[in-house]
Structures are given as C-alpha cells and as structure tokens.
C-alpha cells in the first residue's frame, strides 16, 4: 500500500498559531476597550445632588446654579434634593451610604466636612474616609446681619453698638443659624466668645427658614452666608453690620470686617464658609474627573462667574487632590475654632 505523504509539521502549526495570536489580540483589545466604553456611557440616568439643608440657603443656591450646567454638559438631568437636619449630617450620611456609581453627589459644606468632626461627639460618617472630593465650588464670607427695624429702634448701627446692647441685655437676644455645626453657628459662637456677649442660639434646618424668622423679628441676629442674605440686605429688611472674613467683600465694599468694627477684642476674627461637590468613596475616578472638569469650566464662564461674584461668592474649581488637601486643613482649623468657642453637640 502506498503511504500518503507526510505534511511538514509547520503547515499544521502556523494557521493555529496565527488564529491564537489574533484571538489573544482581540481579547487584549476587548480588555482595554471595555472599561473605556463603560466609562463613556455615564450618566445613563438622572443624577441627584443632595443638599443637606433646606431650600433658600447658599448651599441650595449653588447646587441649583450648577445643576443645569452639568445637565447641559452630560445630556442628563441633575436633580437637586434637599435632605436637611442635624447640621447637614442627615444629608451627608445619606450620600456616604449611597452606591458609589456616580449617580448620587453631595453639595458639602464647611460644616459637614470641616466643622462637624470636632463639634459632634459622634458622626454617622467619616468626612475624609467615606467621601471622594470632586471640587470646591465656591468660598464665601459670612455676614453679621440684624433685623433692620429692630436695630433702628435699639440704636444699633455698628458692631460696637450691638456689643454694647448685648452686654446690657444679657440673654435677651436670639441668634439664628442654619443648624448646629454650620459655619453660621460657629461664627456666632466665636463672636460670643471673643466679645464677651451672650445670645440664645436657635438652630434651623437651613438659612432659608432662619432668615424668615430674622426678617419677621423673631430672631435678632444671624451670621449668615453672604449670598443668601444679599437680596434682603439690598431690600433694606436686614442691616449688615460686618463680614466675618479677614478682608472686606467686593460685593459689599462698604461693610467692614468684624475685626475692623469690633475693636481690640475682635482682633484676628475670621470665620468664612465654603461649598463643594463630593461623591461616595469608591466612585469611579473617571466620573470624578469628568464632573470636576465640567464644574471648573462652568465656574470659569463669564455668566456664572459674574453671578457668583455679585452674590459675594468666590468661584472655585480646583482638582480633587487639591480639594482633599483643603478639607484636611479645614478640619484642623475648625477644631481650634470649636475649642476656643466651647461649642459642642452630643
């Protein structure tokens, strides 16, 4: 019998090897491309921005200014959701426990991520470990405001006048705030400590309701964020006695600082606020990066920039790394303020 010719070994090997190499290449391409494809699809549904205070305050104002800008950039709705209470801790905790998928963000504040760690004996979340910072949205001075009608009747036109009246009427003045642990609360506590005055503190669920009580005359004084008080100051319903920052604000250049208006006892007084976007720890880095870039772009646009500056807010837009370092420094700074003021919330 005639045997069939034997094929060279390489003839059978080469096609299989080429097929294997092609398959490996496709697998590698698929491995590289799949995450990129997944990253590029976010968001595929509405994103919520949790505001941990009631509507009407600066936190709410800034969140509602950013939401349509982000919606325009990403082609999905960004919905503002107010979850007020416990000095911002209820809303912040809700976000800390939310899925880390990019669909729940927090408009955090100096209260939730700078002050509360030292002020509260127990927090339901860790402001550093349970969140990923995205970017600082804005920094604002607080402003010491009083009910204009009551101030006029009492002859209060300056910080010195207020201090004199408060000392002569110990325990008879009511101080409103947007909640325990907020910069509005702590600015007032620091003022009381340094000036040797005493006012009864009434915490509200946000600046909006606190301002309503101040305008109605139920409250006497508030150390509010400047943007949320600006229109009431312009309308003459509130009288601005001083800003709480180290320098005057360009938005209200005629209003002195507490240090300038309060005399030697108030030397070094500085209590400013800030607001920024954060996400639950573990949120994909590409989502964090994309949101930061779009927020920075929006804050750099003339329309948004001018709007914020007119309200007394200084636009931010820093990187996640810069924002994280800033939060670390703020926690240390406010721990000292809490200690000096003697404030504590159990």
């Amino acid at each position: 019998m005639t045997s069939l010719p034997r094929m060279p070994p390489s003839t059978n090997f080469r096609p299989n090897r080429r097929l294997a190499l092609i398959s490996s290449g496709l697998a590698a391409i698929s491995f590289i491309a799949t995450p990129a494809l997944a990253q590029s699809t976010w968001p595929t549904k509405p994103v919520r921005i949790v505001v941990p205070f009631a509507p009407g305050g600066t936190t709410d104002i800034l969140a509602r200014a950013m939401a349509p800008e982000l919606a325009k950039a990403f082609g999905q709705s960004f919905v503002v959701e107010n979850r007020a209470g416990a000095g911002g801790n209820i809303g912040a905790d809700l976000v800390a426990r939310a899925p880390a998928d990019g669909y729940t963000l927090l408009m955090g504040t100096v209260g939730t991520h700078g002050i509360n760690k030292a002020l509260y004996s127990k927090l339901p979340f860790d402001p550093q470990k349970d969140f990923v910072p995205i970017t600082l949205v804005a920094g604002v001075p607080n402003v010491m405001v009083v009910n204009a009608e009551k101030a006029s009747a009492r002859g209060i036109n300056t910080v010195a006048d207020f201090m004199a009246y408060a000392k002569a009427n110990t325990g008879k003045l009511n101080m409103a705030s947007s909640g325990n642990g907020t910069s509005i609360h702590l600015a007032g506590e620091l003022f009381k400590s340094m000036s040797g005055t005493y006012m009864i503190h009434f915490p509200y669920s946000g600046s909006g309701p606190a301002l309503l009580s101040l305008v109605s005359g139920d409250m006497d004084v508030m150390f509010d964020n400047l943007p949320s008080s600006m229109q009431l100051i312009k309308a003459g319903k509130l009288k601005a006695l001083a800003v709480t920052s180290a320098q005057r604000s360009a938005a209200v250049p005629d209003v002195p600082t507490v240090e300038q208006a309060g005399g030697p006892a108030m030397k070094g007084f500085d209590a400013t606020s800030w607001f920024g976007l954060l996400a639950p720890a573990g949120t994909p880095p590409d989502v964090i990066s994309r949101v930061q870039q779009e927020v920075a772009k929006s804050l750099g646009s003339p329309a948004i920039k001018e709007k914020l500056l007119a309200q007394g807010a200084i636009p931010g837009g820093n990187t996640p790394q810069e924002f994280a370092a800033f939060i670390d420094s703020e926690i240390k700074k406010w721990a000292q303020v809490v200690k000096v003021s003697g404030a504590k919330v159990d």
Side-chain angles (χ1 to χ4, degrees), residues 142-144 175-176 183-184 187-188 191 199 221-225 244:
N142 288 7
V143 60
M144 182 181 181
M175 181 182 79
S183 69
I184 295 170
F191 181 90
M199 295 89 77
V221 63
M222 185 173 173
F223 293 78
D224 192 33
N225 303 140
T244 65

Side-chain angles (χ1 to χ4, degrees), residues 149-313:
E149 187 175 337
K150 292 174 77 172
S152 177
R154 293 166 172 172
I156 297 175
N157 294 301
T158 66
V159 172
D161 292 340
F162 181 90
M163 289 166 60
Y165 186 90
K167 288 177 180 179
N169 295 273
T170 301
K172 295 181 180 179
L173 295 180
N174 298 328
M175 181 182 79
S177 84
S178 56
N180 285 317
T182 61
S183 69
I184 295 170
H185 170 209
L186 262 290
E189 293 295 341
L190 187 61
F191 181 90
K192 286 161 61 176
S193 175
M194 292 178 69
S195 65
T197 58
Y198 177 73
M199 295 89 77
I200 301 172
H201 175 223
F202 286 83
Y204 288 78
S205 60
S207 281
L211 286 169
L212 286 175
S213 286
L214 184 60
V215 170
S216 71
D218 292 334
M219 296 290 114
D220 298 291
V221 63
M222 185 173 173
F223 293 78
D224 192 33
N225 303 140
L226 182 54
S228 47
S229 281
M230 183 67 82
Q231 295 307 315
L232 293 170
I233 294 170
K234 289 181 177 179
K237 295 183 180 298
L238 297 180
K239 182 176 180 61
L241 298 182
V243 291
T244 65
S245 50
Q247 293 83 32
R248 294 192 184 210
S249 169
V252 284
D254 294 334
V255 178
T257 67
V258 170
E259 180 177 2
Q260 290 170 339
M266 309 309 290
K267 185 174 177 59
F269 189 98
D270 184 9
T272 54
S273 299
W274 54 261
F275 309 83
L277 282 172
L278 303 102
T283 299
D286 75 293
V287 172
I288 301 297
S289 178
R290 290 173 63 198
V291 173
Q292 184 275 329
Q293 290 171 17
E294 292 301 333
V295 171
K297 189 187 300 181
S298 296
L299 291 173
S301 68
I304 296 294
K305 192 172 184 179
E306 289 172 13
K307 182 179 180 180
L308 294 185
L309 290 173
Q311 293 291 323

